[in-house]
Amino acid sequence: MEKKTYEGAMARLDEIINLLENNKVSLDDSIALYQEGVELASYCDAKLKSIENQVTKIYEDQQLKDYEGE
């Protein structure tokens, strides 16, 4: 099984959106694609939040600490 990446998930979301917008699938398939899209969107959201948490850390006194803003 291929490891899921943010970029891969976004590419798949684009495919799903195109299929749904262009009515290229049946109603039953649309429901399955919609569910897959919701799961991918949730994955992407969690991934972005994780990256945001990493970025908001700064190096201070040889330790990583949460950024508290200015």
Side-chain angles (χ1 to χ4, degrees):
M1 183 192 246
E2 187 177 316
K3 183 180 175 186
K4 189 186 304 186
T5 64
Y6 177 81
E7 293 79 8
M10 289 300 294
R12 179 61 180 149
L13 272 171
D14 282 340
E15 290 174 15
I16 290 170
I17 290 167
N18 286 329
L19 288 168
L20 293 174
E21 285 182 342
N22 295 313
N23 297 319
K24 293 184 178 181
V25 293
S26 69
L27 182 59
D28 289 336
D29 289 342
S30 293
I31 297 298
L33 286 170
Y34 180 80
Q35 182 176 359
E36 181 184 356
V38 168
E39 291 168 2
L40 288 168
S42 178
Y43 167 82
C44 289
D45 183 54
K47 187 73 168 173
L48 285 175
K49 285 179 182 173
S50 172
I51 296 297
E52 182 181 351
N53 287 336
Q54 291 176 21
V55 170
T56 58
K57 302 230 184 242
I58 60 171
Y59 189 78
E60 184 178 290
D61 297 329
Q62 299 180 352
Q63 293 182 5
L64 287 176
K65 297 192 175 187
D66 288 335
Y67 177 71
E68 295 178 12
E70 296 183 90

